[in-house]
Structures are given as structure tokens and as C-alpha cells.
Amino acid sequence: MKRIKCIVAYDGTNFAGYQVQPGKRTVQSELEAALVKIHKGHDVRVFASGRTDAGVHAKGQVIHFNTPLGLPEDRWIPALNSLLPPDIAIQHSKAVSPDFHARFDAVGKEYRYFIHRGKTRDPFKRNYSYQFPYPLALERIREAIPFLTGTHDFTSFCSAKTEVEDRVRTLEEIELIEGDDGFVLCFRGNGFLYNMVRILTGTLLEVGSGERAPEELTEVLERRDRSAAGKTAPGNGLYLWEVFY
């Protein structure tokens, strides 16, 4: 039995999320359906670095699965891609140690959130970035970033539905990259809670809009209360960019 690690990219627009859900189209269900065909009807379970929500994209999702087949490690790319729908693609495949785990061995992740600042809605970007046409001071966002980086209890910045009890995470870096018609927020950390990046983004947009001061984010963290932070930004602007091991 071999263990195969793959890097997967997907357009999350038409998925109900990554994880299998009864009666819904998900990334995991499509991956496992392709593997069933390759394995002549035998079920193969896929394990991922983490879940993504409906509408959220990935450039660098990592999965692993076990297989009895002797297929060379690089042949999994064309074998799977020939069976996967156009909105999922295997980018890399590699045989790994039998004790490798896509989720539990991850030491960090990078998420990117794309914001389109055009005044007019762009139909070609509507699924891949969040249109924010309102006045925004990027310098205020940059001033706010240091208040969020470091090791904190991020209870205020995760969904109230979060079941994880330990909500302390280290946010190593938030980088703001400007483009021609918008900007990208890059979040790098040792782990992320449910909706954490989207709530961080929504809160930083409130800072940039002048709705709250950059230094207020210290108090938001200290309150450990979801209602203290800003709105949850939509899923369509979010990408799981890279997973680190």
C-alpha cells in the first residue's frame, strides 16, 4: 500500500465546499469519485489539509490517499485530471511516507483574499474577488495589521459555530499587495479557525473605511467575542494559497 500526496487547485464557485455533504456537489466527493474509477469500483478515502467553504477557491490544497496500485507517482496527475471536472485540477503528485498526514503534519498555511475596487461590477471577476467600490484608505489597513499579527486568542475572529476550544493561533504575517484595480490581503499563520480569514478581512475593511480605528483591534482581540469584530467577507474572494509542511 502506497500513500500519495497531491496538490489540488479548484474553482470553488459551483461547490458546496470541500467536505462531502449528502446530496451536494463537493470537491472531496469529486476527487473520491475519480479515485473509485481508477480503483475499479473500490472506495478510496481522501484526506485534506483542511476544509474550505462554499464558493472558496484553492490554488494549493493538499490531499493524501492510500492506494494498492503501482502507478508511478507522476502519473497520478494525468490519471486523475482525465476523470475530474474542469473546475478541479491536480497540480502535483508524489509518493510519501506511510505516516504522512495532509492535515496533522501541516505547520502553516497561506490564504489570500482578493478585493476588486472598481466602481462598476465586473461580471468576469464576480466569482473570484469581492467588489468593494466604497472609499478606502489602505494606509489605515496597514496601520492596523501589526495589532493582529503575533500569537493571540482569535475567538473574536472566528464563527460563533466554531467547535474548537483552543482558539490561540499565531498569525505570522499579513501582507497587503496593491494591484491595478484592487488589492490582495495575504495571511500566513500556523493555523486558522472557521471563517477567521474572512472575518479578519471584513474587519480590516471597516478600518480602511474609517468605521473603526486601527488600535481598536487590540480591544477586539481582548474581548474574545465574535460580535466585537467586523462582518464576514464573502467566500468568493478567498483562496487557500499554500500549505506548509
Side-chain angles (χ1 to χ4, degrees):
M1 190 72 71
K2 292 195 301 184
R3 181 158 292 188
I4 303 297
K5 169 190 173 186
C6 295
I7 297 176
V8 187
Y10 50 84
D11 174 350
T13 303
N14 295 316
F15 290 105
Y18 171 82
Q19 191 175 32
V20 168
Q21 300 176 53
K24 294 185 178 180
R25 184 173 187 255
T26 69
V27 177
Q28 183 182 2
S29 62
E30 293 285 3
L31 289 167
E32 291 182 350
L35 285 166
V36 164
K37 292 178 182 177
I38 292 174
H39 290 81
K40 308 299 183 185
H42 295 285
D43 290 340
V44 177
R45 188 177 178 192
V46 170
F47 297 85
S49 69
R51 310 170 187 176
T52 52
D53 288 337
V56 175
H57 315 290
K59 288 277 286 185
Q61 173 70 282
V62 176
I63 64 166
H64 82 259
F65 58 88
N66 294 330
T67 178
L69 303 182
L71 197 66
E73 59 181 15
D74 61 330
R75 296 303 299 166
W76 285 100
I77 300 174
L80 282 166
N81 284 344
S82 68
L83 297 170
L84 288 168
D87 44 5
I88 306 178
I90 306 298
Q91 305 294 301
H92 179 75
S93 62
K94 177 183 179 181
V96 290
S97 153
D99 60 357
F100 170 82
H101 199 286
R103 177 184 174 190
F104 298 125
D105 287 353
V107 296
K109 291 180 180 178
E110 177 178 337
Y111 284 90
R112 297 192 179 189
Y113 197 98
F114 287 72
I115 296 168
H116 171 50
R117 298 189 67 188
K119 300 294 184 184
T120 304
R121 184 173 67 249
D122 186 337
F124 300 105
K125 293 183 178 179
R126 74 190 190 283
N127 293 325
Y128 308 108
S129 61
Y130 174 36
Q131 185 195 14
F132 196 87
Y134 313 106
L136 201 61
L138 296 187
E139 190 52 44
R140 288 176 59 86
I141 294 178
R142 289 192 174 96
E143 289 175 17
I145 285 172
F147 294 104
L148 295 171
T149 52
T151 302
H152 305 284
D153 184 318
F154 282 96
T155 296
S156 294
F157 292 94
C158 69
S159 168
K161 298 178 182 178
T162 301
E163 297 177 353
V164 177
E165 292 185 10
D166 180 7
R167 299 177 182 182
V168 175
R169 299 290 185 273
T170 299
L171 195 50
E172 295 159 3
E173 182 180 15
I174 303 175
E175 183 181 7
L176 190 158
I177 303 173
E178 291 189 66
D180 292 337
D181 58 0
F183 63 97
V184 182
L185 289 169
C186 305
F187 299 85
R188 302 181 187 98
N190 69 347
F192 293 86
L193 299 163
Y194 183 39
N195 280 352
M196 180 172 158
V197 174
R198 292 166 60 185
I199 297 168
L200 285 166
T201 298
T203 306
L204 287 171
L205 288 173
E206 290 183 3
V207 171
S209 300
E211 296 176 42
R212 61 174 82 213
E215 58 270 20
E216 283 182 39
L217 298 190
T218 297
E219 181 185 348
V220 173
L221 283 165
E222 291 173 349
R223 284 182 58 183
R224 300 180 186 180
D225 181 351
R226 171 65 188 92
S227 66
K231 296 177 182 177
T232 304
N236 60 303
L238 181 61
Y239 296 70
L240 172 55
W241 204 258
E242 189 173 359
V243 184
F244 305 106
Y245 293 91

